[in-house]
Amino acid sequence: MMPGSMAELLFDSILVLTLLAVALSILALRQAFAAVLAFVTYGLLLAIAWVRLGSVDVALTEAAIGAGVTGVLLIAAASRLRRSIPIADKASPGIPMRIAVGALCATISAALVAAVLHLPTPAPGQALAAVANLPSTGLGNPVTGVLLAYRAIDTLLEAVVLVLVLLGDWSMAPDGQWGGRPGPRLAPEVNGPLGLLVSVLPPVGILIGIHIFWIGADMPGGAFQGGTILGAMWILTWMAGRTAPPHTSSERLRLVLVVGPALFLVAGFAGIVFAEAFLAYPEGWAKPLIIGIEAALTVSIAAALAMLVAGWPSREAPR
Amino acid sequence: MNGVTLFGIASALLVGLGLYGLVLSAGPLRRILAFNVLGSGIFLLFGVVARRGAAGGVGGDPVPHAIIITGLVVAFAASALAVQLMLRLSEVRAADRAGANNPDNEKPGAGDQQP
């Protein structure tokens, strides 16, 4: 074995062991807040694992969504729950139950390990087909090709799911608050670290978000990763009290939320008329259409993710 | 054994660990965390399959990679809905308890009372 691959194997072993230890601590730590922080750490370690597995696209998504936005959501939830009565009302399960569940889970893990060790060689896959057909889309990043061309229907449905989940979230509004502002009212922080961060980070973050969306056509990146960074910048300005989440009845907000999925649908139906099928792009129009759809999706995803973190409308209902 | 197999074994263990936590955790927040650990194990397993399918000069099969990205976003959306449901439930219970102790001291709009 070459010394280089030996060092890589050592790195992977340390990464895997750390990953498992942190995952264990998420479930074992007694304090909810500590468990949430362990979960954020876990997300960042997973992002490194994705780089090691050869996918920078997934690594960016994991870092931005798995660790970043999920982290904000969970930290906010844990600190709100700390002030309230615990919901857990079931008695902790007894030792026989723990042993039974442990045995079941160990069996599932053992079966999966056996499956991993007996994966077919050579491994089947679509990589060659995906790369071979990429020139017809005008794109350079095969992952973006899959997301916006070969399997565009999945991405379309996913964009719609975000809107539906947000509707579910908003419908938890108490009586009389429908259409109001979500989240607590926060006083502007001027002198603290958050005040400094909100002055420095958003201009850079917005540029990085747009850049990651734009290079997604040819390099790792895309609408989801870029949109998440833009959404995170918006959340940061809320947390520092510089802006407030908009009224959920705001027509501008609703337009921004649906523009991505709507444009995607229109382009999809146009494919029936101008190309062969639903979500097919006419010859030579693939790249401009994909970039246009991705731009609209980036804005919609940013708004949807941020509003999902903000929660249900709970104050300042419009009269 | 190479690095990819190592990640494959780790993913299998994460699935078992997440499932154990999901079934046995008492608090809803802990269950949401465990569900995410379970999900990340499944994504990682899919990523190992993608890595093994690397060909044509790309680091892995782009089809699973794209589906994992879609899955991560949907998993976040599901977690967000679960977290908001949990917070709303704790708010309603707090209002119910306050209402039971002192019927005049009910927060307006803070809990939808059962008829």
Side-chain angles (χ1 to χ4, degrees), chain B:
Chain B
M1 164 138 352
N2 59 20
V4 180
T5 316
L6 215 54
F7 283 112
I9 293 169
S11 71
L13 297 178
L14 288 173
V15 169
L17 205 60
L19 190 61
Y20 181 82
L22 180 65
V23 174
L24 289 180
S25 295
L29 182 67
R30 207 53 69 98
R31 248 180 256 163
I32 293 169
L33 290 176
F35 190 71
N36 273 291
V37 172
L38 169 60
S40 70
I42 294 169
F43 290 141
L44 205 57
L45 188 60
F46 206 15
V48 166
V49 173
R51 176 61 170 171
R52 286 170 44 87
V58 288
D61 191 338
V63 178
H65 283 166
I67 293 171
I68 293 166
I69 290 175
T70 309
L72 281 170
V73 178
V74 174
F76 166 75
S79 301
L81 192 60
V83 163
Q84 308 294 8
L85 276 169
M86 172 185 77
L87 291 175
R88 190 75 180 93
L89 182 64
S90 89
E91 216 176 63
V92 169
R93 287 205 180 171
D96 276 356
R97 213 163 289 194
N101 290 342
N102 181 2
D104 303 326
N105 192 20
E106 211 167 291
K107 268 203 287 178
D112 307 324
Q113 308 296 317
Q114 296 288 327

Side-chain angles (χ1 to χ4, degrees), chain A:
Chain A
M1 201 180 269
M2 278 156 44
S5 64
M6 207 48 210
E8 283 183 2
L9 191 60
L10 185 67
F11 181 85
D12 287 347
S13 311
I14 294 171
L15 181 58
V16 159
L17 287 177
T18 320
L19 205 57
L20 288 170
V22 174
L24 201 62
S25 75
I26 296 172
L27 303 175
L29 280 170
R30 291 208 160 263
Q31 276 197 319
F33 206 77
V36 167
L37 291 184
F39 185 79
V40 175
T41 314
Y42 176 72
L44 292 172
L45 287 170
L46 267 182
I48 302 175
W50 284 116
V51 176
R52 292 293 305 140
L53 284 172
S55 180
V56 180
D57 287 277
V58 182
L60 281 172
T61 317
E62 180 68 55
I65 294 182
V69 190
T70 311
V72 173
L73 176 81
L74 291 170
I75 288 171
S79 65
R80 267 180 80 173
L81 278 185
R82 203 152 48 166
R83 293 193 299 266
S84 69
I85 310 143
I87 306 178
D89 43 17
K90 275 200 304 185
S92 195
I95 290 175
M97 181 60 117
R98 287 185 178 274
I99 292 174
V101 174
L104 175 79
C105 296
T107 311
I108 290 173
S109 284
L112 285 174
V113 168
V116 166
L117 294 178
H118 293 92
L119 282 173
T121 314
Q126 304 285 330
L128 286 176
V131 174
N133 289 299
L134 207 54
S136 69
T137 63
L139 299 168
N141 180 357
V143 176
T144 306
V146 177
L147 279 172
L148 271 304
Y150 312 147
R151 296 293 309 171
I153 184 85
D154 293 339
T155 312
L156 171 63
L157 291 176
E158 171 193 13
V160 175
V161 160
L162 279 182
V163 178
L164 290 180
V165 168
L166 191 58
L167 278 179
D169 184 3
W170 286 359
S171 52
M172 279 183 255
D175 289 345
Q177 297 293 328
W178 175 256
R181 280 188 203 277
R185 183 200 306 272
L186 297 165
E189 184 173 332
V190 184
N191 292 321
L194 203 54
L196 178 67
L197 197 63
V198 79
S199 309
V200 175
L201 198 57
V204 182
I206 290 168
L207 273 183
I208 292 176
I210 295 171
H211 175 72
I212 284 187
F213 140 68
W214 180 251
I215 61 163
D218 294 312
M219 280 188 279
F224 293 111
Q225 297 91 334
T228 311
I229 293 172
L230 293 181
M233 292 306 121
W234 201 22
I235 296 170
L236 181 63
T237 64
W238 297 343
M239 294 197 325
R242 295 294 168 91
T243 61
H247 284 99
T248 56
S249 60
S250 152
E251 274 173 14
R252 222 166 36 162
L253 171 70
R254 292 181 177 191
L255 187 71
V256 166
L257 285 169
V258 298
V259 66
L263 196 69
F264 210 159
L265 264 181
V266 169
F269 282 116
I272 299 178
V273 182
F274 298 106
E276 310 88 66
F278 181 63
L279 282 172
Y281 303 115
E283 191 90 19
W285 280 84
K287 187 162 184 185
L289 275 174
I290 287 174
I291 297 285
I293 293 168
E294 273 211 295
L297 272 184
T298 305
V299 176
S300 292
I301 289 167
L305 293 185
M307 292 309 288
L308 272 176
V309 170
W312 64 87
S314 56
R315 61 189 168 96
E316 291 179 33
R319 267 168 290 173

